Amino acid sequence: MAQTKEVLTIDLPNDVATLDPHLQWNTDSYTVYRNIFDNLLTRDASGKIVPQIATEWTYDNDTTITFKIRDDVTFQDGSKLTAEDVAFSINRIIDPALKSPQLSQFDQIQAAEVVDPTTVKVTTKSPYPALLAQLVKLSIVPKAYVEKVGDQEFNLNPLGSGPYKMVEWKKGIQTELEAYDSYWRGQPPFEKVVFRAVPDVSTRIADLKTGKADLIRDVPPDQASTIESDSNTKLLTGETERVGYLYLNAEAGPTKDVRVRQAIAYAIDKQGLVDALLEGYGKPVNIVGAEPIFGYTDAVEGYPYDPEKAADLIKEAGAEGATVEFLTSPSYPRALVEAIQQMVNEVGLNVTISSSDQATFLKRRQGGAENAGGMAFGAWSCACQDADGIIFPLFRSGSIWAKYKNEKYDALVDEARTILDEEKRKSLYAQAYEILREDVPGLGLYQVFALYGAAKNLQWEPSANEAMFVMDMSWQQ
Protein backbone atom coordinates (compact mmCIF):
# COMPACT_ATOMS: atom_id res chain seq x y z
CA MET A 1 0.00 0.00 0.00
CA ALA A 2 1.12 3.56 -0.65
CA GLN A 3 2.22 5.91 2.11
CA THR A 4 -0.75 7.61 3.73
CA LYS A 5 0.79 8.78 6.97
CA GLU A 6 1.95 12.40 6.87
CA VAL A 7 3.35 13.00 10.35
CA LEU A 8 5.76 10.62 12.09
CA THR A 9 6.06 11.23 15.85
CA ILE A 10 9.09 9.96 17.76
CA ASP A 11 9.47 10.08 21.57
CA LEU A 12 13.06 10.47 22.81
CA PRO A 13 14.19 10.34 26.47
CA ASN A 14 15.72 13.85 26.24
CA ASP A 15 15.55 17.02 24.20
CA VAL A 16 18.39 17.65 21.77
CA ALA A 17 21.38 19.35 23.40
CA THR A 18 22.44 20.89 20.10
CA LEU A 19 21.42 20.89 16.43
CA ASP A 20 24.91 21.90 15.29
CA PRO A 21 26.24 18.48 14.24
CA HIS A 22 29.84 19.47 15.00
CA LEU A 23 29.15 20.05 18.69
CA GLN A 24 27.56 17.42 20.99
CA TRP A 25 27.10 13.92 19.65
CA ASN A 26 24.94 12.48 22.42
CA THR A 27 22.33 10.02 21.15
CA ASP A 28 19.25 12.27 21.34
CA SER A 29 20.99 15.12 19.51
CA TYR A 30 22.33 13.05 16.65
CA THR A 31 19.07 11.13 16.35
CA VAL A 32 17.55 14.44 15.23
CA TYR A 33 20.33 16.29 13.39
CA ARG A 34 21.42 13.30 11.33
CA ASN A 35 18.09 13.65 9.50
CA ILE A 36 18.86 17.30 8.65
CA PHE A 37 22.36 16.68 7.29
CA ASP A 38 24.13 14.29 4.94
CA ASN A 39 27.49 12.75 5.72
CA LEU A 40 30.48 12.25 3.46
CA LEU A 41 30.20 8.47 3.95
CA THR A 42 27.67 6.18 5.62
CA ARG A 43 27.27 2.49 6.47
CA ASP A 44 24.95 0.09 4.68
CA ALA A 45 22.69 -2.40 6.48
CA SER A 46 25.58 -4.86 6.83
CA GLY A 47 27.81 -2.21 8.44
CA LYS A 48 30.06 -1.70 5.41
CA ILE A 49 31.31 1.86 4.76
CA VAL A 50 29.69 3.12 1.54
CA PRO A 51 29.42 6.43 -0.38
CA GLN A 52 26.95 9.18 0.55
CA ILE A 53 28.08 12.69 -0.50
CA ALA A 54 31.42 11.21 -1.59
CA THR A 55 31.09 8.92 -4.64
CA GLU A 56 34.55 7.37 -4.37
CA TRP A 57 37.89 7.83 -2.60
CA THR A 58 41.50 6.88 -3.20
CA TYR A 59 44.58 6.86 -0.99
CA ASP A 60 47.27 8.90 -2.78
CA ASN A 61 49.71 7.79 -0.06
CA ASP A 62 49.47 6.68 3.58
CA THR A 63 48.49 10.15 4.82
CA THR A 64 46.54 11.62 1.88
CA ILE A 65 43.11 10.57 0.67
CA THR A 66 41.19 12.16 -2.21
CA PHE A 67 37.38 12.19 -2.24
CA LYS A 68 35.19 12.72 -5.31
CA ILE A 69 31.92 14.54 -4.43
CA ARG A 70 28.44 14.24 -5.98
CA ASP A 71 27.51 17.24 -8.13
CA ASP A 72 23.70 16.87 -7.87
CA VAL A 73 23.21 17.80 -4.20
CA THR A 74 21.63 21.01 -2.93
CA PHE A 75 21.22 22.42 0.54
CA GLN A 76 17.70 23.11 1.81
CA ASP A 77 17.94 26.78 0.70
CA GLY A 78 18.54 25.59 -2.89
CA SER A 79 22.28 26.39 -2.95
CA LYS A 80 24.62 23.78 -4.41
CA LEU A 81 26.77 21.55 -2.19
CA THR A 82 30.38 21.58 -3.42
CA ALA A 83 33.86 20.53 -2.35
CA GLU A 84 34.11 23.93 -0.55
CA ASP A 85 31.42 22.81 1.92
CA VAL A 86 33.06 19.44 2.53
CA ALA A 87 36.50 20.95 3.19
CA PHE A 88 34.93 23.65 5.39
CA SER A 89 33.07 21.02 7.46
CA ILE A 90 36.23 19.00 8.12
CA ASN A 91 38.37 22.06 8.90
CA ARG A 92 35.64 23.44 11.17
CA ILE A 93 35.49 20.37 13.41
CA ILE A 94 39.29 20.20 13.82
CA ASP A 95 39.54 23.91 14.66
CA PRO A 96 40.26 24.02 18.43
CA ALA A 97 38.34 27.33 18.64
CA LEU A 98 35.05 25.51 17.98
CA LYS A 99 35.74 23.41 21.13
CA SER A 100 33.95 20.39 19.68
CA PRO A 101 33.56 17.47 22.11
CA GLN A 102 34.11 15.33 18.99
CA LEU A 103 37.58 16.77 18.40
CA SER A 104 39.49 13.72 19.70
CA GLN A 105 37.77 11.60 17.03
CA PHE A 106 39.09 13.85 14.25
CA ASP A 107 42.34 15.25 15.64
CA GLN A 108 44.50 13.02 13.42
CA ILE A 109 43.33 15.13 10.45
CA GLN A 110 45.75 17.89 9.53
CA ALA A 111 43.67 19.66 6.87
CA ALA A 112 41.12 19.34 4.10
CA GLU A 113 41.63 21.26 0.87
CA VAL A 114 39.59 21.86 -2.26
CA VAL A 115 41.15 20.52 -5.46
CA ASP A 116 38.20 21.44 -7.74
CA PRO A 117 34.40 21.79 -7.22
CA THR A 118 33.94 18.00 -6.90
CA THR A 119 37.26 16.97 -5.33
CA VAL A 120 38.56 17.26 -1.76
CA LYS A 121 41.96 16.18 -0.48
CA VAL A 122 42.29 15.22 3.20
CA THR A 123 45.70 14.99 4.88
CA THR A 124 46.31 13.24 8.20
CA LYS A 125 49.21 13.78 10.63
CA SER A 126 50.17 10.13 10.31
CA PRO A 127 48.56 7.13 8.60
CA TYR A 128 45.15 6.94 10.36
CA PRO A 129 43.23 3.70 9.67
CA ALA A 130 40.07 4.75 11.52
CA LEU A 131 39.66 7.87 9.35
CA LEU A 132 36.84 6.53 7.16
CA ALA A 133 35.03 5.09 10.20
CA GLN A 134 35.17 8.50 11.89
CA LEU A 135 34.09 10.36 8.71
CA VAL A 136 30.88 8.28 8.70
CA LYS A 137 29.85 10.60 11.59
CA LEU A 138 30.86 13.88 9.99
CA SER A 139 27.90 15.94 8.75
CA ILE A 140 28.40 18.34 5.85
CA VAL A 141 27.40 21.93 6.69
CA PRO A 142 26.97 24.83 4.23
CA LYS A 143 30.04 27.12 4.37
CA ALA A 144 28.30 30.26 3.07
CA TYR A 145 25.36 29.99 5.50
CA VAL A 146 27.47 29.18 8.60
CA GLU A 147 29.84 32.07 7.85
CA LYS A 148 26.91 34.42 7.24
CA VAL A 149 24.86 33.66 10.38
CA GLY A 150 27.61 32.54 12.80
CA ASP A 151 27.88 29.45 15.00
CA GLN A 152 25.18 30.32 17.55
CA GLU A 153 22.50 31.15 14.99
CA PHE A 154 23.46 28.06 12.98
CA ASN A 155 22.82 25.88 16.04
CA LEU A 156 19.34 27.39 16.48
CA ASN A 157 18.44 27.32 12.77
CA PRO A 158 20.49 24.58 11.15
CA LEU A 159 20.54 24.14 7.37
CA GLY A 160 21.73 20.93 5.74
CA SER A 161 21.36 18.86 2.57
CA GLY A 162 19.56 15.99 4.29
CA PRO A 163 16.03 14.62 3.75
CA TYR A 164 14.41 16.83 6.42
CA LYS A 165 14.66 20.53 7.12
CA MET A 166 14.21 22.27 10.42
CA VAL A 167 10.84 23.95 11.07
CA GLU A 168 10.91 24.70 14.78
CA TRP A 169 12.92 23.77 17.87
CA LYS A 170 10.90 24.33 21.05
CA LYS A 171 13.63 23.83 23.63
CA GLY A 172 12.85 21.17 26.19
CA ILE A 173 9.68 20.15 24.34
CA GLN A 174 10.13 19.09 20.71
CA THR A 175 11.87 19.56 17.38
CA GLU A 176 9.76 19.65 14.22
CA LEU A 177 11.17 18.81 10.78
CA GLU A 178 9.57 18.74 7.33
CA ALA A 179 10.50 16.87 4.17
CA TYR A 180 12.93 18.54 1.79
CA ASP A 181 11.22 17.94 -1.55
CA SER A 182 14.37 18.35 -3.65
CA TYR A 183 16.37 15.78 -1.68
CA TRP A 184 18.86 14.08 -4.02
CA ARG A 185 17.97 10.53 -2.92
CA GLY A 186 14.27 10.99 -3.64
CA GLN A 187 11.14 11.99 -1.74
CA PRO A 188 11.40 11.41 2.04
CA PRO A 189 8.81 8.93 3.42
CA PHE A 190 6.88 11.32 5.72
CA GLU A 191 5.84 14.93 5.18
CA LYS A 192 6.70 15.89 8.77
CA VAL A 193 8.66 14.35 11.65
CA VAL A 194 8.22 15.50 15.24
CA PHE A 195 10.83 14.47 17.83
CA ARG A 196 9.46 14.97 21.34
CA ALA A 197 11.38 15.03 24.63
CA VAL A 198 9.59 12.59 26.97
CA PRO A 199 11.88 11.74 29.92
CA ASP A 200 9.39 9.49 31.70
CA VAL A 201 9.53 5.96 30.28
CA SER A 202 5.98 5.01 31.27
CA THR A 203 4.73 8.11 29.41
CA ARG A 204 6.70 7.11 26.30
CA ILE A 205 5.15 3.63 26.42
CA ALA A 206 1.64 5.05 26.98
CA ASP A 207 2.16 7.44 24.02
CA LEU A 208 3.08 4.49 21.81
CA LYS A 209 0.13 2.36 22.88
CA THR A 210 -2.41 5.17 22.39
CA GLY A 211 -0.94 6.15 18.99
CA LYS A 212 0.39 9.54 20.19
CA ALA A 213 3.87 8.32 19.22
CA ASP A 214 4.87 6.01 16.35
CA LEU A 215 8.37 5.19 17.61
CA ILE A 216 10.03 5.41 21.03
CA ARG A 217 13.67 5.05 22.03
CA ASP A 218 15.21 3.46 25.14
CA VAL A 219 12.66 0.86 26.23
CA PRO A 220 13.84 -0.76 29.51
CA PRO A 221 14.20 -4.56 29.17
CA ASP A 222 11.59 -5.17 31.88
CA GLN A 223 9.02 -3.24 29.80
CA ALA A 224 9.72 -5.08 26.54
CA SER A 225 6.98 -7.66 27.06
CA THR A 226 4.24 -5.01 27.49
CA ILE A 227 5.08 -3.70 24.02
CA GLU A 228 5.30 -7.18 22.48
CA SER A 229 1.95 -8.24 23.91
CA ASP A 230 0.03 -5.23 22.54
CA SER A 231 -1.54 -5.90 19.13
CA ASN A 232 -0.88 -2.33 17.89
CA THR A 233 2.79 -2.17 18.79
CA LYS A 234 5.98 -4.14 18.26
CA LEU A 235 9.43 -4.32 19.83
CA LEU A 236 12.44 -3.62 17.59
CA THR A 237 15.85 -4.70 18.85
CA GLY A 238 19.30 -3.91 17.50
CA GLU A 239 22.55 -5.55 18.57
CA THR A 240 24.80 -2.48 18.89
CA GLU A 241 28.49 -1.67 19.06
CA ARG A 242 27.88 -0.22 22.54
CA VAL A 243 29.39 -2.14 25.44
CA GLY A 244 28.36 -2.13 29.10
CA TYR A 245 31.59 -2.15 31.12
CA LEU A 246 33.00 -1.66 34.60
CA TYR A 247 35.86 0.81 35.04
CA LEU A 248 38.37 -0.15 37.76
CA ASN A 249 40.81 2.45 39.10
CA ALA A 250 44.33 1.04 38.67
CA GLU A 251 46.05 4.09 40.16
CA ALA A 252 44.42 4.77 43.53
CA GLY A 253 42.66 3.07 46.47
CA PRO A 254 42.30 -0.69 47.10
CA THR A 255 41.79 -1.35 43.35
CA LYS A 256 45.37 -0.17 42.75
CA ASP A 257 46.35 -3.80 43.53
CA VAL A 258 45.87 -5.91 40.40
CA ARG A 259 44.76 -8.88 42.57
CA VAL A 260 41.81 -6.82 43.82
CA ARG A 261 40.85 -5.90 40.23
CA GLN A 262 41.12 -9.53 39.15
CA ALA A 263 39.03 -10.58 42.18
CA ILE A 264 36.27 -8.16 41.11
CA ALA A 265 36.38 -9.72 37.62
CA TYR A 266 35.93 -13.23 39.07
CA ALA A 267 33.14 -11.98 41.38
CA ILE A 268 30.76 -10.89 38.61
CA ASP A 269 28.26 -13.28 37.05
CA LYS A 270 27.83 -11.64 33.63
CA GLN A 271 25.34 -14.18 32.30
CA GLY A 272 23.32 -13.74 35.50
CA LEU A 273 23.20 -9.96 34.96
CA VAL A 274 22.06 -10.38 31.34
CA ASP A 275 19.39 -12.95 32.23
CA ALA A 276 17.98 -11.32 35.35
CA LEU A 277 18.36 -7.59 34.76
CA LEU A 278 18.45 -7.27 30.98
CA GLU A 279 15.84 -10.00 30.45
CA GLY A 280 18.21 -11.57 27.92
CA TYR A 281 18.52 -8.35 25.84
CA GLY A 282 22.30 -8.30 25.81
CA LYS A 283 25.23 -10.69 25.33
CA PRO A 284 28.09 -11.24 27.79
CA VAL A 285 31.48 -10.13 26.39
CA ASN A 286 35.04 -11.08 27.38
CA ILE A 287 36.57 -7.77 26.29
CA VAL A 288 35.67 -4.06 26.37
CA GLY A 289 34.22 -4.20 22.87
CA ALA A 290 31.42 -5.94 20.98
CA GLU A 291 31.21 -7.83 17.69
CA PRO A 292 30.35 -4.96 15.30
CA ILE A 293 33.71 -3.27 15.91
CA PHE A 294 36.92 -3.59 13.92
CA GLY A 295 39.50 -5.21 16.22
CA TYR A 296 36.94 -7.35 18.05
CA THR A 297 38.41 -10.69 19.09
CA ASP A 298 36.90 -13.77 20.67
CA ALA A 299 40.34 -15.25 21.33
CA VAL A 300 40.78 -13.47 24.67
CA GLU A 301 39.50 -15.58 27.55
CA GLY A 302 37.06 -13.93 29.89
CA TYR A 303 37.04 -14.27 33.66
CA PRO A 304 34.72 -17.13 34.65
CA TYR A 305 32.31 -16.48 37.52
CA ASP A 306 34.33 -17.87 40.44
CA PRO A 307 33.50 -16.26 43.82
CA GLU A 308 35.86 -18.60 45.72
CA LYS A 309 38.83 -17.62 43.59
CA ALA A 310 37.78 -13.96 44.03
CA ALA A 311 37.67 -14.30 47.84
CA ASP A 312 41.12 -15.95 47.86
CA LEU A 313 42.62 -13.08 45.83
CA ILE A 314 41.09 -10.47 48.18
CA LYS A 315 42.66 -12.31 51.16
CA GLU A 316 46.00 -12.62 49.36
CA ALA A 317 45.98 -8.86 48.72
CA GLY A 318 45.13 -8.19 52.39
CA ALA A 319 42.10 -6.23 51.21
CA GLU A 320 39.31 -7.91 53.20
CA GLY A 321 36.71 -5.33 54.23
CA ALA A 322 38.44 -2.56 52.21
CA THR A 323 36.02 0.17 51.11
CA VAL A 324 35.64 0.66 47.37
CA GLU A 325 33.61 3.64 46.11
CA PHE A 326 31.34 2.79 43.16
CA LEU A 327 30.44 5.89 41.11
CA THR A 328 27.19 6.07 39.18
CA SER A 329 24.44 8.46 38.03
CA PRO A 330 20.71 8.21 37.22
CA SER A 331 21.78 7.65 33.57
CA TYR A 332 22.71 4.06 34.45
CA PRO A 333 20.39 1.24 35.60
CA ARG A 334 20.35 1.34 39.41
CA ALA A 335 19.35 -2.34 39.74
CA LEU A 336 22.39 -3.36 37.70
CA VAL A 337 24.74 -1.23 39.80
CA GLU A 338 23.28 -2.70 43.02
CA ALA A 339 23.58 -6.27 41.70
CA ILE A 340 27.29 -5.69 40.93
CA GLN A 341 27.77 -4.12 44.39
CA GLN A 342 26.25 -7.19 46.04
CA MET A 343 28.36 -9.65 44.00
CA VAL A 344 31.59 -7.82 44.91
CA ASN A 345 30.60 -7.43 48.58
CA GLU A 346 30.05 -11.19 48.81
CA VAL A 347 33.73 -11.88 48.07
CA GLY A 348 35.01 -9.68 50.91
CA LEU A 349 35.10 -6.03 49.79
CA ASN A 350 32.93 -3.21 51.11
CA VAL A 351 31.46 -1.47 48.04
CA THR A 352 29.67 1.86 48.65
CA ILE A 353 27.59 3.47 45.88
CA SER A 354 28.04 7.20 45.22
CA SER A 355 25.34 8.50 42.89
CA SER A 356 25.46 12.04 41.53
CA ASP A 357 24.02 13.90 38.55
CA GLN A 358 25.63 12.98 35.22
CA ALA A 359 27.73 16.17 34.98
CA THR A 360 29.31 15.56 38.41
CA PHE A 361 29.77 11.87 37.64
CA LEU A 362 31.62 12.70 34.39
CA LYS A 363 33.75 15.34 36.12
CA ARG A 364 34.93 12.77 38.68
CA ARG A 365 35.37 9.97 36.13
CA GLN A 366 37.44 12.28 33.90
CA GLY A 367 39.40 13.89 36.74
CA GLY A 368 42.42 12.81 38.78
CA ALA A 369 42.72 9.18 39.93
CA GLU A 370 42.52 10.09 43.66
CA ASN A 371 38.96 11.39 43.27
CA ALA A 372 37.76 9.06 40.48
CA GLY A 373 36.28 6.31 42.67
CA GLY A 374 37.34 2.66 42.68
CA MET A 375 34.66 1.43 40.27
CA ALA A 376 32.15 2.96 37.87
CA PHE A 377 29.63 1.57 35.41
CA GLY A 378 29.66 2.80 31.80
CA ALA A 379 27.99 2.08 28.45
CA TRP A 380 30.45 3.11 25.73
CA SER A 381 30.02 3.61 22.01
CA CYS A 382 32.18 5.66 19.65
CA ALA A 383 29.62 5.31 16.82
CA CYS A 384 32.67 4.47 14.67
CA GLN A 385 32.74 0.66 14.99
CA ASP A 386 36.50 0.60 15.56
CA ALA A 387 38.54 -0.43 18.64
CA ASP A 388 40.50 2.82 18.26
CA GLY A 389 37.37 4.72 19.36
CA ILE A 390 36.89 2.50 22.42
CA ILE A 391 40.01 1.23 24.14
CA PHE A 392 42.25 4.14 23.04
CA PRO A 393 40.21 6.82 24.87
CA LEU A 394 39.33 4.52 27.79
CA PHE A 395 42.74 3.09 28.67
CA ARG A 396 45.56 4.93 26.85
CA SER A 397 47.62 6.68 29.56
CA GLY A 398 47.10 10.44 29.45
CA SER A 399 43.47 10.11 28.32
CA ILE A 400 40.92 11.82 30.59
CA TRP A 401 39.15 8.48 31.06
CA ALA A 402 42.20 6.34 31.88
CA LYS A 403 43.31 5.69 35.48
CA TYR A 404 45.90 3.24 34.23
CA LYS A 405 49.34 3.18 32.65
CA ASN A 406 51.04 0.33 30.83
CA GLU A 407 53.76 1.32 28.36
CA LYS A 408 53.50 -1.89 26.35
CA TYR A 409 49.73 -1.39 25.98
CA ASP A 410 50.23 2.28 24.99
CA ALA A 411 52.74 1.29 22.29
CA LEU A 412 50.32 -1.28 20.82
CA VAL A 413 47.31 1.05 20.58
CA ASP A 414 49.48 3.93 19.34
CA GLU A 415 50.83 1.76 16.52
CA ALA A 416 47.38 0.34 15.71
CA ARG A 417 46.05 3.84 15.00
CA THR A 418 48.90 4.75 12.65
CA ILE A 419 49.07 1.82 10.21
CA LEU A 420 46.73 0.96 7.37
CA ASP A 421 47.44 -2.81 7.22
CA GLU A 422 44.19 -4.36 8.56
CA GLU A 423 45.63 -7.75 9.54
CA LYS A 424 48.48 -6.11 11.44
CA ARG A 425 46.03 -3.81 13.22
CA LYS A 426 43.87 -6.79 14.25
CA SER A 427 46.90 -8.53 15.67
CA LEU A 428 47.92 -5.40 17.64
CA TYR A 429 44.42 -5.07 19.13
CA ALA A 430 44.38 -8.76 20.06
CA GLN A 431 47.64 -8.21 22.00
CA ALA A 432 46.28 -5.01 23.58
CA TYR A 433 43.10 -6.81 24.71
CA GLU A 434 45.27 -9.57 26.23
CA ILE A 435 47.10 -6.96 28.35
CA LEU A 436 43.79 -5.41 29.42
CA ARG A 437 42.61 -8.88 30.48
CA GLU A 438 45.71 -9.32 32.65
CA ASP A 439 45.67 -5.80 34.18
CA VAL A 440 41.86 -5.30 34.41
CA PRO A 441 41.67 -1.46 34.32
CA GLY A 442 38.18 -2.14 33.00
CA LEU A 443 35.97 -5.16 32.55
CA GLY A 444 33.67 -5.75 29.58
CA LEU A 445 30.27 -6.93 30.87
CA TYR A 446 27.88 -7.19 27.92
CA GLN A 447 27.02 -6.03 24.41
CA VAL A 448 24.13 -3.58 24.65
CA PHE A 449 20.96 -4.31 22.66
CA ALA A 450 19.04 -1.14 21.75
CA LEU A 451 15.31 -1.55 22.36
CA TYR A 452 12.69 0.51 20.52
CA GLY A 453 8.93 0.42 20.62
CA ALA A 454 7.18 0.96 17.27
CA ALA A 455 3.68 1.15 15.85
CA LYS A 456 2.99 -2.14 14.07
CA ASN A 457 2.73 -0.36 10.67
CA LEU A 458 6.19 1.21 10.91
CA GLN A 459 8.85 -0.64 8.91
CA TRP A 460 12.43 -0.07 10.10
CA GLU A 461 15.56 -2.08 10.93
CA PRO A 462 17.70 -0.67 13.79
CA SER A 463 21.46 -0.45 13.14
CA ALA A 464 24.58 -1.32 15.17
CA ASN A 465 25.56 2.34 15.51
CA GLU A 466 22.14 3.38 16.87
CA ALA A 467 21.43 5.82 14.04
CA MET A 468 17.76 6.66 13.47
CA PHE A 469 17.52 7.58 9.81
CA VAL A 470 13.89 8.39 8.96
CA MET A 471 14.80 7.98 5.26
CA ASP A 472 15.15 4.23 5.96
CA MET A 473 11.64 3.98 7.45
CA SER A 474 8.28 3.40 5.78
CA TRP A 475 4.61 3.02 6.74
CA GLN A 476 2.72 -0.08 5.64
CA GLN A 477 -1.08 0.15 6.01
Side-chain angles (χ1 to χ4, degrees):
M1 285 280 292
Q3 293 284 357
T4 51
K5 189 170 176 65
E6 292 202 345
V7 182
L8 183 75
T9 305
I10 300 175
D11 278 5
L12 302 176
N14 306 287
D15 186 26
V16 293
T18 170
L19 286 172
D20 181 335
H22 296 166
L23 296 177
Q24 290 299 349
W25 60 301
N26 60 312
T27 312
D28 293 305
S29 297
Y30 73 62
T31 293
V32 178
Y33 69 58
R34 282 179 146 188
N35 290 292
I36 300 174
F37 298 91
D38 281 316
N39 294 8
L40 195 57
L41 312 164
T42 189
R43 286 185 188 268
D44 66 13
S46 72
K48 184 170 173 275
I49 295 175
V50 294
Q52 190 165 39
I53 292 299
T55 54
E56 57 179 319
W57 49 91
T58 45
Y59 272 96
D60 306 333
N61 54 51
D62 282 359
T63 53
T64 314
I65 185 167
T66 299
F67 293 92
K68 292 301 283 181
I69 308 297
R70 296 186 71 94
D71 67 353
D72 60 348
V73 179
T74 56
F75 288 107
Q76 292 144 2
D77 61 355
S79 63
K80 200 170 167 68
L81 184 154
T82 70
E84 288 274 355
D85 303 294
V86 174
F88 173 77
S89 300
I90 295 171
N91 291 326
R92 181 175 187 250
I93 206 158
I94 61 173
D95 179 358
L98 186 69
K99 295 190 168 59
S100 171
Q102 302 181 51
L103 180 62
S104 67
Q105 315 273 330
F106 296 100
D107 62 1
Q108 288 299 305
I109 299 174
Q110 198 158 356
E113 50 192 313
V114 176
V115 178
D116 62 47
T118 58
T119 316
V120 175
K121 187 184 282 194
V122 176
T123 317
T124 53
K125 295 173 183 169
S126 66
Y128 183 47
L131 177 67
L132 295 178
Q134 299 292 14
L135 287 175
V136 164
K137 299 188 302 213
L138 185 80
S139 298
I140 308 303
V141 303
K143 177 177 192 271
Y145 178 75
V146 176
E147 288 182 337
K148 185 176 123 193
V149 302
D151 293 341
Q152 280 175 308
E153 176 61 24
F154 176 63
N155 184 23
L156 295 173
N157 288 294
L159 179 76
S161 64
Y164 285 91
K165 53 186 181 183
M166 161 86 165
V167 178
E168 187 181 22
W169 176 14
K170 291 185 190 157
K171 285 204 175 176
I173 302 165
Q174 65 180 43
T175 311
E176 191 183 319
L177 310 181
E178 70 179 22
Y180 174 45
D181 294 334
S182 304
Y183 186 49
W184 61 277
R185 286 167 62 203
Q187 186 62 29
F190 303 93
E191 201 39 54
K192 280 193 168 164
V193 185
V194 180
F195 292 94
R196 299 190 310 190
V198 184
D200 181 58
V201 69
S202 52
T203 309
R204 290 202 297 280
I205 291 171
D207 283 354
L208 180 69
K209 289 185 171 180
T210 57
K212 272 191 190 167
D214 305 302
L215 181 61
I216 64 173
R217 194 173 81 69
D218 230 12
V219 174
D222 62 358
Q223 300 287 314
S225 58
T226 70
I227 289 173
E228 283 186 304
S229 62
D230 188 309
S231 62
N232 294 316
T233 62
K234 60 186 174 185
L235 186 75
L236 300 176
T237 62
E239 298 189 8
T240 73
E241 63 172 293
R242 189 179 294 278
V243 64
Y245 76 99
L246 196 62
Y247 137 82
L248 298 169
N249 190 335
E251 294 187 329
T255 51
K256 193 172 177 179
D257 188 319
V258 69
R259 292 168 298 186
V260 173
R261 300 197 300 278
Q262 288 175 345
I264 291 170
Y266 281 118
I268 294 170
D269 177 5
K270 296 178 188 178
Q271 190 65 56
L273 293 176
V274 168
D275 294 344
L277 295 166
L278 303 178
E279 315 260 335
Y281 293 109
K283 240 188 235 170
V285 291
N286 289 340
I287 60 170
V288 182
E291 265 180 83
I293 68 162
F294 179 90
Y296 175 81
T297 172
D298 53 13
V300 175
E301 275 183 49
Y303 282 81
Y305 175 49
D306 190 340
E308 282 176 27
K309 178 104 190 224
D312 290 347
L313 281 165
I314 297 286
K315 284 198 185 100
E316 200 186 302
E320 288 165 288
T323 298
V324 177
E325 189 184 14
F326 190 174
L327 304 186
T328 188
S329 88
S331 297
Y332 307 109
R334 181 77 188 194
L336 195 72
V337 169
E338 288 174 354
I340 292 169
Q341 173 194 33
Q342 190 181 343
M343 287 172 183
V344 179
N345 280 346
E346 280 169 6
V347 301
L349 290 172
N350 172 29
V351 177
T352 59
I353 293 176
S354 294
S355 186
S356 62
D357 61 78
Q358 184 70 356
T360 309
F361 167 83
L362 289 173
K363 203 171 172 181
R364 288 193 63 186
R365 242 320 256 115
Q366 295 171 352
E370 296 303 323
N371 190 37
M375 296 162 55
F377 180 76
W380 187 275
S381 166
C382 65
C384 65
Q385 291 178 230
D386 195 293
D388 178 65
I390 302 171
I391 60 171
F392 187 91
L394 283 178
F395 306 117
R396 168 67 168 88
S397 67
S399 155
I400 54 173
W401 298 100
K403 311 295 172 259
Y404 167 65
K405 184 172 173 57
N406 178 315
E407 285 174 7
K408 196 173 167 204
Y409 169 81
D410 286 354
L412 289 166
V413 291
D414 286 352
E415 188 184 350
R417 72 181 335 211
T418 56
I419 56 168
L420 301 176
D421 180 329
E422 293 197 347
E423 290 313 307
K424 182 86 195 288
R425 282 190 79 212
K426 280 181 184 164
S427 145
L428 292 167
Y429 283 128
Q431 295 171 62
Y433 272 120
E434 206 56 68
I435 293 174
L436 293 179
R437 182 204 183 274
E438 196 58 41
D439 291 352
V440 219
L443 182 70
L445 298 172
Y446 58 88
Q447 175 188 17
V448 175
F449 288 10
L451 301 186
Y452 308 86
K456 75 167 189 304
N457 295 352
L458 185 72
Q459 303 301 310
W460 176 56
E461 288 288 322
S463 67
N465 56 13
E466 298 173 75
M468 214 186 244
F469 294 120
V470 176
M471 198 67 190
D472 297 338
M473 301 178 188
S474 64
W475 193 263
Q476 249 82 42
Q477 287 298 29

